[in-house]
Amino acid sequence: MEMHVETNPLLDKLPAHLRQYIKPQAYEQYTPINQAVWRYVMRKNVNYLSQVAHESYTSGLKKTGISIDEIPSMYGMNRILKEIGWAAVAVDGFIPPNAFMEFQAYKVLVIASDIRQLENIEYTPAPDIIHEGAGHAPIIASPDYAEYLRRFGEIGARAISNAHDMNMYEAVRKLSILKEAEGIPDEDVQAAEDEVNRLQEMTVAPSEIALIRNLHWWTVEYGLIGSVDNPKLYGAGLLSSLGESKHCLTDAVKKIPYSIDAAYQEFDITQMQPQLYVTPDFGYLMEVLEEFAETMALRKGGWRGVQKLIDCKQLGSIELNTGLQVSGNFSKMIQDEDNNVVYFETTGPSALAYRNKELIGLGTSHFRKGFSSPLGKLKRSSVAIERMSPRDLKAFEIYEGGINSFEFESGITVTGMITTGTRSIDGTLLAVHFDGCEVSYKGEKLISRKNGPFDMAIGSSIVSAFAGAADHTSFNMVSHVSSTNTIHQELSEEDTLLNSLYKEIRDMRESNDVKVARLEEIFRQLQANFPKDWLASLEVYELAIPIDASFAENIKGYLEAQTKKLPKVAHLITDGLSLYGKPLMHVVKTP
């Protein structure tokens, strides 16, 4: 199988700060056991989900090129996803929420390329290729849902987070990695679970990213669609979980009509969900998303938006009513008696932009240590500065050359020599540039630069505040370093032998050439050396049915006995006997 990733116009457009999360799929690292796990889950899911999933699921499997018999490659998925306007990339487990959302905004599916271990075949808290490839990918073949996913990413990428969110992200990522890895001491897993619980129990006002993450969880991951009495599955977490896809339709799970209230419902990734939300159709998802967006600083701006950026202590941006955008780490603001922001500061590298494009000469190389500016209307003026004509500006001593001094309604005074101004393409004044300037407020010098440049933003109000940079090329954002990495254990001698048996079984099936004597020997080895493994025996049973009824009956008896010895997987064995008990076509028997 080819290992390269087919080029896709959407992938070519991804910015560097998203590309940093992409990793090679490394298809050759999937073991024969991994392939068998994929095949079992997919066969069982497709058989069951064709009855309970949204109609887009089954047709979507075909459109997106998802095979039931083998783990999909990024090459194959991109080749077919390109036809429906999407792409896919492989990543290492969980990535930060804002980055995940931004990938969606670019119409790129983020696929955790690892696969769950056999012991976690029903459910894993770690994102894996079964969850992403077989859960998310098929549903995007629905145009309405695909647009919802894209729009969700667009809005979610602008949601403002806080320090608690990043701590929670790292804790959940670590727990999911440890739970999925083999050979991890129980005390290490318990310690990671305790840390997640500790963070969840903290009383912290939910950030925008926390709230929109909840909406994502109850729709994209665990959503139901239709009526409360007879819902269908569409959330990827349900579509990829053998256990929860059945459990979710029982009376043990409360079904709630979907609404914006879901944003305030927390969830536990380690447990089956006690309640789920039902949307009447995909169009309604968009209505709730827009309703939530109206509550965000992205749409509201103002002092609350700036305060969220100050609290988050991460790169963020504001947009003024003039269209000027300021990006940086916001650290201070001053409000007037009506709570209007009349002054703000950023620290560290900052940049000015207009329509998400950095203004020439006003990037991080110019604002290395931060940016600060007063805002508002001038005293004794009924017209905002940005709306003033050249004559008006001169009347208020805002003109090039000479010493200029003027006062804002807030009481902030500015004195300095104006050298020039920056206007938008429609003539709106965006910024005024000084050579030497002093800015004072109530006797305090906010800015004192007797020599050197000072740049003042022009605007009377903040109309938007959002996470990240207005122009992502303004900043070096290629700096993601998670504190945890997915653990890949070296195969033991025992694991290597078991994988070799799985491979022989697979080779016989794919070549349609079953060597009976060798198949019988493989089954003897499984019984003698791998009594806890049940999936390989199921695959042997599948091959034996059309060629040796007595041998097949012997295997069936062994597996039925195993249901008593391995009660935790008894239902998987029983389901497998029914699923794998259908004879394969075109199997040739050889000695």
Side-chain angles (χ1 to χ4, degrees), residues 78-98:
N78 271 303
R79 178 170 49 82
I80 295 180
L81 283 172
K82 185 165 63 174
E83 300 301 315
I84 59 174
W86 281 71
V89 294
V91 299
D92 181 22
F94 283 111
I95 64 173
N98 287 93

Side-chain angles (χ1 to χ4, degrees), residues 569-580:
V569 295
H571 60 293
L572 297 175
I573 297 172
T574 301
D575 289 348
L577 284 169
S578 173
L579 193 63
Y580 284 57

Side-chain angles (χ1 to χ4, degrees), residues 508 514-521 547-548 551 589-591:
M508 287 187 201
V514 178
K515 297 175 174 60
V516 180
R518 180 55 189 158
L519 194 64
E520 290 174 339
E521 176 57 29
I547 59 174
D548 191 326
F551 180 31
K589 173 183 176 181
T590 58

Side-chain angles (χ1 to χ4, degrees), residues 277 385 424:
Y277 291 86
I385 301 174
S424 66

